Amino acid sequence: MSSEMIIRRYRASDQDVVTDLWSRAVRQAHPFIDGEGEGERARVLREVYLVQAENWVAERAGSVIGLLGLLHDGPGAGDGGGPGAEVGGLFVAPEAQGGGAGRELLEHAAALHGALALEVFEGNGRARRFYAHLGFTERGRRTDEETGHPLIALERAAPLKSVSWLHLRDGRLLSVRTRGNDTFYLPGGKYEPGETAREALSRELHEELGLVVPAEELSEAFVIHDVAHGKGGRRLHMTCFTGGPQDIAPAPGREIAEFAWFDRRKARERCAPAHAQVVNRLIAQGRMPG
């Protein structure tokens, strides 16, 4: 079986495995709560949250390793994102923690709904560090009526959504620099209202480099989640595409100062942070030298 992680909707047939996963995860995360992971709390999970929430699971090699429950009417998203959502719960099987399932589930939720809010027990230090790493900030505190333990309310703005083109020449990645900026980025940019991702990229390539790349010739390669460069810690959701003409002669538009093809070392030295993830993916795919 493939080891690639899959994010999919929860199914009723998943109930037993996710209940067991939840029980083991919360007992590990909340040793300060008596009866955690069993009894009435387990019944509420099965009969309320797994029925009423928007639930997603992370699956790897045919096994469910993570569960995310979303409640709607969350914080406003802004910047063209969704209406926002509240994370009612995020649980990863103890043996799978540290493998990216929690991050992928959260970024999937952000891609669907925009801004996210959640609460975490003050005593759950590992979870607090995890959310801080992913850009969540504190917005309030309260005492949980059921357990008597303090909860910290966290939130994160909707990610900036962009599209980028992956164009390689002799193993080097095409990058562009805007005027007044020392950092190079992948060709592409943000969506305009009503555009699909492919339409946005086709337009951006024409505006930036004078290239005619029909939207239907673009194929989605992968999505990168990172911190948006120069945006005060805002998260980035960047969809990368391949396709289009390979023999190109770029003609920089008004905003573009120059373009260049970078190898692995130069890309990591001169490009925005998300480039490092892109380069790693391309090396893993054998499209760039390691």
Side-chain angles (χ1 to χ4, degrees):
M1 290 186 180
S2 170
S3 62
E4 182 181 356
M5 192 180 306
I6 297 171
I7 305 298
R8 63 165 175 82
R9 280 277 196 172
Y10 165 82
R11 298 190 287 257
S13 58
D14 297 320
Q15 183 187 94
D16 289 346
V17 69
V18 300
T19 300
D20 174 69
L21 177 159
W22 164 82
S23 178
R24 292 185 293 117
V26 295
R27 286 202 303 267
Q28 180 188 74
H30 308 147
F32 45 84
I33 297 178
D34 293 336
E36 180 65 296
E38 58 188 20
E40 178 64 9
R41 294 173 74 83
R43 184 194 69 79
V44 171
L45 172 78
R46 291 192 303 270
E47 299 180 9
V48 179
Y49 291 112
L50 291 181
V51 175
Q52 298 181 6
E54 177 191 336
N55 294 299
W56 296 85
V57 300
E59 184 179 282
R60 176 174 280 152
S63 298
V64 174
I65 59 173
L67 169 69
L68 172 75
L70 295 173
L71 310 173
H72 296 292
D73 301 321
D79 290 328
E86 179 181 353
V87 177
L90 173 63
F91 314 100
V92 177
E95 65 273 13
Q97 291 178 9
R103 176 179 58 81
E104 289 297 325
L105 283 164
L106 278 176
E107 299 297 0
H108 179 75
L112 292 175
H113 299 294
L116 299 176
L118 57 89
E119 290 185 313
V120 62
F121 280 106
E122 183 179 49
N124 189 351
R126 182 173 182 178
R128 290 172 60 189
R129 291 188 294 273
F130 167 76
Y131 290 122
H133 178 69
L134 291 181
F136 285 81
T137 57
E138 182 175 337
R139 64 182 174 92
R141 294 182 178 230
R142 70 178 180 91
T143 299
D144 181 46
E145 294 181 1
E146 182 180 356
T147 66
H149 290 278
L151 285 164
I152 302 174
L154 304 174
E155 64 183 0
R156 193 182 79 175
L160 296 171
K161 298 183 73 173
S162 70
V163 288
S164 296
W165 194 40
L166 306 178
H167 189 279
L168 290 132
R169 176 176 292 177
D170 299 326
R172 296 170 182 262
L173 184 62
L174 177 63
S175 303
V176 297
R177 181 176 65 82
T178 56
R179 299 186 188 282
N181 195 335
D182 292 333
T183 303
F184 280 80
Y185 300 85
L186 290 172
K190 298 178 183 178
Y191 299 69
E192 289 189 352
E195 287 183 325
T196 67
R198 288 174 175 82
E199 290 168 347
L201 183 53
S202 178
R203 173 185 52 76
E204 287 282 352
L205 292 175
H206 186 262
E207 293 175 356
E208 290 186 348
L209 297 171
L211 301 176
V212 177
V213 182
E216 60 271 18
E217 293 185 11
L218 295 167
S219 300
E220 182 174 332
F222 46 74
V223 176
I224 295 294
H225 304 290
D226 209 320
V227 176
H229 182 67
K231 299 296 182 180
R234 188 82 174 269
R235 299 293 296 182
L236 173 69
H237 179 280
M238 182 172 71
T239 306
C240 300
F241 290 85
T242 58
Q246 298 305 297
D247 184 13
I248 61 173
R254 289 185 304 171
E255 296 182 356
I256 302 301
E258 63 176 315
F259 63 89
W261 275 271
F262 290 135
D263 61 15
R264 175 188 59 83
R265 182 179 64 82
K266 283 292 186 182
R268 288 173 174 166
E269 287 177 356
R270 304 195 61 185
C271 298
H275 261 63
Q277 285 199 58
V278 171
V279 169
N280 289 341
R281 293 282 192 100
L282 294 174
I283 291 173
Q285 294 173 358
R287 300 187 64 200
M288 284 186 75

